Amino acid sequence: MKSIKFFQTKTFILMALAVICGFTFTSCKDDDGPDGDDLSKVIVGAWMQDGDDDVLVLKSDGKGNWYSNLNEYLNNNPKDPVEWSYRDGWVTLKNYMDGGSDFYTYKLKAKSVTKDKIVWLWIDDEGEEDIWTWERVQ
């Protein structure tokens, strides 16, 4: 009789531990990359591409401007309007060339993000890939 009670107690304890472990694993958050909302907030602002003079300004309304160089940015003389969106871990940039209706699309996936620097995997319309590094314009 005593061995049956011990077995029931042992079974109860093992089941309780299994339930606790199940809740522990399902409640963990995946912190591998920036959340969409966080990335959408971080990328709003003015950015200069590493190794290039271009300045890209992204606004919170999904619009922005592309400037050929820092001087054009400082004089508010944009080269092209842009639209941007975030979905499923990818930022899509549409660069409207010469302010017209023709546009070039860039797909960007953040590889690393800080408030002042973003390293992107970049893919263009033809599937060409590159790494872009943006640094915030102060």
Side-chain angles (χ1 to χ4, degrees):
M1 187 76 151
K2 191 173 187 178
S3 66
I4 292 176
K5 219 171 206 191
F6 174 75
F7 178 74
Q8 288 175 339
T9 304
K10 184 177 173 183
T11 302
F12 175 76
I13 291 171
L14 288 175
M15 288 176 55
L17 284 174
V19 170
I20 291 170
C21 288
F23 282 120
T24 303
F25 288 117
T26 59
S27 66
C28 291
K29 181 180 177 194
D30 180 10
D31 289 331
D32 290 341
D35 291 339
D37 291 340
D38 292 342
L39 183 59
S40 295
K41 291 174 186 170
V42 169
I43 67 173
V44 171
W47 297 90
M48 184 174 277
Q49 185 179 326
D50 186 30
D52 198 345
D53 288 339
D54 290 350
V55 175
L56 181 62
V57 175
L58 300 176
K59 301 175 186 171
S60 62
D61 65 358
K63 302 207 184 290
N65 289 302
W66 206 296
Y67 298 83
S68 294
N69 55 54
L70 185 58
N71 193 39
E72 285 186 2
Y73 167 70
L74 295 173
N75 291 316
N76 196 24
N77 184 19
K79 177 183 175 193
D80 298 323
V82 297
E83 291 180 356
W84 70 275
S85 61
Y86 178 86
R87 182 172 180 187
D88 297 330
W90 290 89
V91 172
T92 302
L93 287 176
K94 288 185 180 179
N95 179 11
Y96 289 88
M97 293 174 235
D98 300 320
S101 59
D102 293 333
F103 60 88
Y104 200 73
T105 303
Y106 303 94
K107 291 259 192 200
L108 305 165
K109 180 143 184 108
K111 295 179 74 57
S112 70
V113 179
T114 67
K115 69 180 184 81
D116 292 323
K117 186 176 182 178
I118 304 175
V119 177
W120 298 101
L121 168 63
W122 164 84
I123 302 176
D124 71 5
D125 280 342
E126 286 112 29
E128 295 291 319
E129 294 184 8
D130 199 359
I131 299 294
W132 280 5
T133 301
W134 290 359
E135 292 188 26
R136 189 174 299 279
V137 177
Q138 300 298 328

